Amino acid sequence: MEVTNVCEYEELAKQKLPKMVYDYYSAGAEDQWTLKENREAFSRILFRPRVLIDVTKIDMMTTVLDFKISMPIMIAPSAMQKMAHPDGELATARAAASAGTIMTLSSWATSSVEEVNATGPGIRFFQLYVYKDRNIVRQLVRRAEKAGFKAIALTVDTPRLGRREIDIKNRFTLPPHLTLKNFENLDLGKMDKANDSGLAAYVASQVDQSLSWKDVQWLQTITSLPILCKGIMTAEDTQKAIECGAAGIIVSNHGARQLDYSPATITCLEEVVKEANGRVPVFLDGGVRRGTDVFKALALGASGIFIGRPVLYGLAVDGEAGIKNVLKMLRNELEMTMALSGCTSLKDITRDHVLTESDRIRRSLSRL
């Protein structure tokens, strides 16, 4: 069967992966309301297309933190990718480089920063949790810098892991033949005593619940890499992030895996963009499955979007080729949406090209 859209990869991945692995990748927290809402919120945003515009040539190139990329579609950090395919993060790195876009490597990857760097040239960011032992953070950041990573995506929404009930039912553990490669060859203190599967659980338990804004500032004292705050959802936290020196913001609810009944990220985007007011770029992840979703995020002020689960599903089904196809389909759909909306470049995409639920309510009230 020919795969014609990104969503079809999920069903194929479900058939192929062990249940415990598929559930780990696909599940959200608790009732999974936010997981559904991340998708459904996009469907409530409609288009206001412009016509009779020459769209013979469409330019999707953009710049992220001074790095030129082929399109505003990037890869979000996803943990433990070798559960999906033996090549894991290495396939993801090659696919991203081939597509001319950015890959973000999870610090809980099953491939190390050095192994990813060895796949060849590419623009890569490193996702970071802050641990109780700051020496571990220093070592991870140093390794990422040495391996040529260009930015740190600091996860700020995880003082503790959300309650993912499917993982509890499945008694999820990292398969014994895999390990968290970025923690190898570090001075881990007590972590040294854990076996590989136990290491994953122990690392998760060491995420620092006291993480605060002062740690965003501290991180800038140990690295010159730009820091993106990943997990911002409000104007208040946007202002705080900018005050603390963040180079950018990723509007994210952690793929709906943390606080259930948080709004969809696309619903929060405009509030964050308005507060940022051009001082730093704002990106979005969560729920993007179509090129139309990408266009909607750009119209509401995002500088680009990150995809997570679609990459995992493409990887599970067809390795590197699957990820390349996911990126190609989203690129082609975005190009089509731009053409049919009368936009020949990303700067042509404006707020006037979309109609949100709030817009429609305001229009209805104005007629009363």
Side-chain angles (χ1 to χ4, degrees):
M1 181 188 81
E2 183 181 356
V3 179
T4 56
N5 64 69
V6 166
C7 290
E8 289 176 357
Y9 271 112
E10 179 170 3
E11 185 54 40
L12 293 172
K14 186 176 183 179
Q15 294 167 19
K16 193 165 186 177
L17 290 171
K19 182 179 186 299
M20 181 185 77
V21 173
Y22 171 77
D23 286 350
Y24 175 79
Y25 289 149
S26 66
E30 296 183 351
D31 297 331
Q32 304 189 104
W33 182 88
T34 299
L35 184 69
K36 296 191 251 333
E37 179 66 3
N38 269 354
R39 282 294 307 128
E40 290 174 2
F42 277 106
S43 71
R44 297 194 293 271
I45 300 170
L46 307 179
F47 291 122
R48 299 183 69 249
R50 303 298 303 277
V51 298
L52 295 178
I53 294 168
D54 181 353
V55 292
T56 307
K57 293 182 179 177
I58 304 284
D59 179 13
M60 286 180 282
M61 289 192 70
T62 190
T63 302
V64 171
L65 300 182
D66 295 328
F67 299 105
K68 287 185 179 178
I69 56 175
S70 67
M71 58 183 173
I73 302 165
M74 298 164 282
I75 295 180
S78 300
M80 309 175 193
Q81 293 184 18
K82 283 190 177 179
M83 295 194 302
H85 187 278
D87 292 343
E89 295 85 0
L90 307 182
T92 305
R94 289 190 294 263
S98 175
T101 193
I102 292 167
M103 173 204 183
T104 314
L105 182 71
S106 169
S107 57
W108 293 358
T110 40
S111 306
S112 68
V113 289
E114 294 85 3
E115 289 170 330
V116 168
N117 183 50
T119 62
I123 305 163
R124 295 168 191 127
F125 296 170
F126 182 68
Q127 177 273 331
L128 181 71
Y129 292 106
V130 172
Y131 300 95
K132 294 171 187 174
D133 183 349
R134 293 296 193 272
N135 187 42
I136 292 171
V137 178
R138 286 189 188 92
Q139 293 175 81
L140 288 169
V141 169
R142 200 170 299 126
R143 278 179 71 178
E145 286 176 332
K146 196 173 176 183
F149 283 67
K150 302 302 185 187
I152 300 292
L154 176 66
T155 296
V156 298
D157 61 3
T158 311
R160 60 174 70 182
L161 290 181
R163 183 176 170 84
R164 301 155 198 174
E165 295 174 2
I166 292 176
D167 289 345
I168 296 168
K169 282 184 167 65
N170 289 339
R171 298 184 177 173
F172 173 81
T173 57
L174 182 64
H177 66 287
L178 299 174
T179 188
L180 301 185
K181 284 284 189 174
N182 288 312
F183 291 86
E184 286 188 345
N185 305 316
L186 295 190
D187 174 10
L188 297 176
K190 286 184 290 184
M191 286 193 203
D192 282 329
K193 298 170 186 172
N195 62 31
D196 288 345
S197 184
L199 175 65
Y202 188 74
V203 166
S205 76
Q206 293 306 296
V207 172
D208 194 350
Q209 295 186 31
S210 75
L211 180 68
S212 68
W213 291 109
K214 70 179 186 298
D215 294 298
V216 179
Q217 295 169 310
W218 168 78
L219 200 54
Q220 292 166 73
T221 69
I222 67 166
T223 183
S224 59
L225 295 179
I227 296 164
L228 302 171
C229 283
K230 179 179 180 291
I232 302 288
M233 300 276 283
T234 64
E236 295 91 334
D237 283 345
T238 300
Q239 180 58 32
K240 284 271 194 184
I242 294 170
E243 287 172 359
C244 290
I249 286 166
I250 303 174
V251 178
S252 172
N253 53 31
H254 211 111
R257 293 163 72 81
Q258 284 298 104
L259 180 62
D260 201 19
Y261 297 95
S262 293
T265 51
I266 192 68
T267 306
C268 302
L269 177 61
E270 263 198 300
E271 176 182 333
V272 172
V273 167
K274 185 177 178 182
E275 183 64 32
N277 195 28
R279 291 177 289 174
V280 297
V282 176
F283 307 97
L284 174 135
D285 80 7
V288 173
R289 298 294 183 273
R290 285 280 190 183
T292 50
D293 300 334
V294 180
F295 186 101
K296 290 170 184 179
L298 297 175
L300 293 175
S303 294
I305 65 92
F306 289 86
I307 54 168
R309 288 184 178 96
V311 169
L312 294 171
Y313 299 145
L315 175 65
V317 173
D318 200 17
E320 181 182 338
I323 302 171
K324 284 181 176 177
N325 199 36
V326 164
L327 293 169
K328 180 183 175 184
M329 285 192 292
L330 288 174
R331 179 188 175 89
N332 289 345
E333 288 177 5
L334 174 59
E335 183 178 25
M336 177 70 76
T337 307
M338 289 174 67
L340 296 180
S341 298
C343 299
T344 61
S345 69
L346 300 185
K347 66 177 172 39
D348 292 338
I349 302 173
T350 69
R351 181 63 176 80
D352 290 337
H353 283 97
V354 292
L355 197 64
T356 66
E357 201 168 23
S358 297
D359 295 336
R360 296 196 295 277
I361 291 169
R362 278 194 293 270
R363 287 185 173 201
S364 296
L365 290 174
S366 69
R367 295 191 191 106
L368 294 178

